[in-house]
Amino acid sequence: MNSVSFGSTFKIKDNNQNYVSERKMTDFCEKNDLEYVSKIEVVKPAKSYFDEPIYDIKTSIIAPDTKDSLVEAYLANKGIKFKKIDTKDLLDKSKIESRIKEPPKNMKLVKVDVEKLDKILQNQSNNIEHSGSDYDNYYKDSVDLMIKSGDKIPATTLHINATGESTDDTVDYINKFGADRLNDDQLVLMFTQRTDDPDHCMFFGMKDLGMDKVPVYVNNYTYKIGNALGIFK
């Protein structure tokens, strides 16, 4: 992850803000090399060609210490209401966990032990190493920005499937012989992307922040096998 700059995150939600004013604000960010997240949703479409649609616009601007006062002055001069949050506070482990979105239907939110998961991956089929490469090469900045935005964030979805036998048989095997006696490639572990955001890489962003037990979404089969492996908290 990029070296952390402990400045401020400015959260802006202005229902009277229109698309033009939002565009000016994001232009300001780009001109001053500021990171930002802007989400625009049309809550009421225009009734005719001459009408303006009504937007719900939420913007977060992440300012380093050196540009904190610049952003605050810009927003104040434009009369834009904002909430200012210490970015360091947003990166606190408990604060990150409190912003994890509720799990999808029929899934659970658990914490996976990073060290124990890494040990399992050494001799089991997985795409997690590939997802880690995606994070390092393509998505690190995006994940960093998602975490610093102060918005609700998704967890990574983890699937653990048995190969050649049922989930219950696999659980019985682990309970009888132990996780250390798993045959090579007896399991397949996968991180899957569920949204347009790189949620499959969120695990690595949290790991980079020093979290040794990272929230993940799991289905019932994964929950059973993971509990038998002893990797869930």
Side-chain angles (χ1 to χ4, degrees):
M1 182 168 287
N2 294 341
S3 58
V4 177
S5 175
F6 291 132
S8 301
T9 292
F10 295 82
K11 292 184 65 63
I12 301 135
K13 184 180 185 301
D14 188 349
N15 290 325
N16 295 319
Q17 188 180 13
N18 59 38
Y19 181 79
V20 173
S21 64
E22 188 275 341
R23 186 64 259 172
K24 288 180 179 178
M25 184 161 53
T26 54
D27 283 346
F28 162 80
C29 292
E30 291 170 5
K31 180 181 178 181
N32 290 282
D33 198 25
L34 292 161
E35 295 180 305
Y36 68 91
V37 176
S38 189
K39 298 180 180 179
I40 304 174
E41 180 183 356
V42 178
V43 294
K44 187 176 181 181
K47 292 182 179 180
S48 71
Y49 178 80
F50 301 100
D51 290 333
E52 282 284 337
I54 296 177
Y55 297 98
D56 180 37
I57 302 175
K58 300 175 184 176
T59 305
S60 295
I61 301 175
I62 295 85
D65 294 317
T66 55
K67 297 182 180 179
D68 189 283
S69 58
L70 172 70
V71 175
E72 188 162 359
Y74 173 83
L75 296 176
N77 288 337
K78 297 294 183 182
I80 299 172
K81 297 179 181 178
F82 60 89
K83 180 179 180 181
K84 183 178 176 181
I85 309 170
D86 188 335
T87 304
K88 184 176 181 180
D89 187 52
L90 291 174
L91 299 181
D92 179 80
K93 180 178 71 172
S94 63
K95 296 296 177 62
I96 292 174
E97 291 177 355
S98 71
R99 292 191 285 119
I100 300 292
K101 293 180 179 178
E102 290 295 312
K105 186 178 180 180
N106 298 323
M107 302 198 84
K108 304 175 187 292
L109 178 62
V110 298
K111 295 178 185 177
V112 62
D113 187 298
V114 172
E115 184 176 350
K116 291 180 179 179
L117 177 63
D118 286 343
K119 186 176 180 181
I120 295 295
L121 296 178
Q122 291 176 10
N123 67 333
Q124 301 302 316
S125 297
N126 69 89
N127 78 336
I128 294 176
E129 293 175 351
H130 179 75
S131 295
S133 178
D134 282 349
Y135 168 75
D136 287 332
N137 294 318
Y138 304 110
Y139 298 120
K140 183 178 291 190
D141 289 343
S142 297
V143 170
D144 183 31
L145 194 55
M146 289 169 68
I147 294 174
K148 289 180 179 177
S149 73
D151 296 330
K152 287 282 187 178
I153 51 177
T156 294
T157 301
L158 168 66
H159 290 282
I160 306 176
N161 297 313
T163 60
E165 56 189 355
S166 69
T167 296
D168 289 339
D169 286 343
T170 301
V171 169
D172 288 343
Y173 179 94
I174 296 169
N175 288 336
K176 183 176 181 180
F177 298 107
D180 292 338
R181 297 288 300 277
L182 281 169
N183 298 316
D184 289 354
D185 302 322
Q186 190 171 346
L187 302 174
V188 179
L189 296 92
M190 305 280 289
F191 281 169
T192 58
Q193 186 173 0
R194 299 180 60 90
T195 70
D196 292 334
D197 293 317
D199 54 279
H200 63 304
C201 292
M202 188 62 68
F203 170 89
F204 303 102
M206 295 183 191
K207 180 180 174 182
D208 271 0
L209 288 171
M211 296 175 68
D212 56 4
K213 293 179 178 60
V214 176
V216 293
Y217 300 134
V218 298
N219 60 23
N220 190 49
Y221 301 116
T222 300
Y223 185 70
K224 287 182 178 180
I225 297 175
N227 271 338
L229 292 172
I231 63 174
F232 293 154
K233 178 181 177 182

